[in-house]
Amino acid sequence: MNEWKAVCRVEDIPKLGARRVAREGSTIPIAVFRTENDQVFALLDQCPHKGGPLSQGIVFGRSVACPLHNWTIGLDDGCAKAPDQGCTQRFACKVDGGQVLLETESLIAVEA
């Protein structure tokens, strides 16, 4: 059974923006994104291209543009859109009663 942890309220994330959530054991946080219609997605805050901070990118539709080289990354799967290639880690998240929840285990980085 999955355990969930509240990390912020939906309103704490600007529409078409992101909020960063620290991870134990890693210097790379999770970026939690909010779309125009209040959908929430969570990705590792690192573009698969050159490691740019996706949380500083521009959110449009269900994608984010990396602030370094404008790669388009899908919020629902973390993958770059063609012709670019590569994916960043995606994390399970949900909204319950206005609270954004992440799976507890995703907040702890595990060395591969």
Side-chain angles (χ1 to χ4, degrees):
M1 184 169 185
N2 295 345
E3 291 187 32
W4 298 87
K5 180 176 181 179
V7 294
C8 66
R9 296 199 50 80
V10 173
E11 296 80 22
D12 295 335
I13 308 168
K15 281 196 182 222
L16 301 177
R19 180 180 176 127
R20 294 166 50 133
V21 177
R23 298 172 69 210
E24 184 181 323
S26 177
T27 59
I28 304 168
I30 295 173
V32 182
F33 299 91
R34 180 181 176 193
T35 66
E36 178 69 28
N37 59 356
D38 297 330
Q39 291 180 297
V40 177
F41 299 91
L43 301 175
L44 188 66
D45 193 20
Q46 185 175 49
C47 179
H49 176 226
K50 297 278 185 175
L54 295 175
S55 61
Q56 295 177 24
I58 297 171
V59 175
F60 59 98
R62 293 168 63 103
S63 300
V64 61
C66 177
L68 294 184
H69 299 103
N70 209 32
W71 277 34
T72 298
I73 309 298
L75 294 174
D76 51 357
D77 62 5
C79 292
K81 304 300 179 188
D84 300 321
Q85 298 179 351
C87 295
T88 193
Q89 188 175 354
R90 182 185 155 280
F91 299 95
C93 68
K94 65 181 181 179
V95 177
D96 185 18
Q99 291 284 331
V100 176
L101 306 168
L102 290 174
E103 282 187 322
T104 304
E105 68 182 35
S106 67
L107 296 170
I108 301 169
V110 179
E111 293 294 321

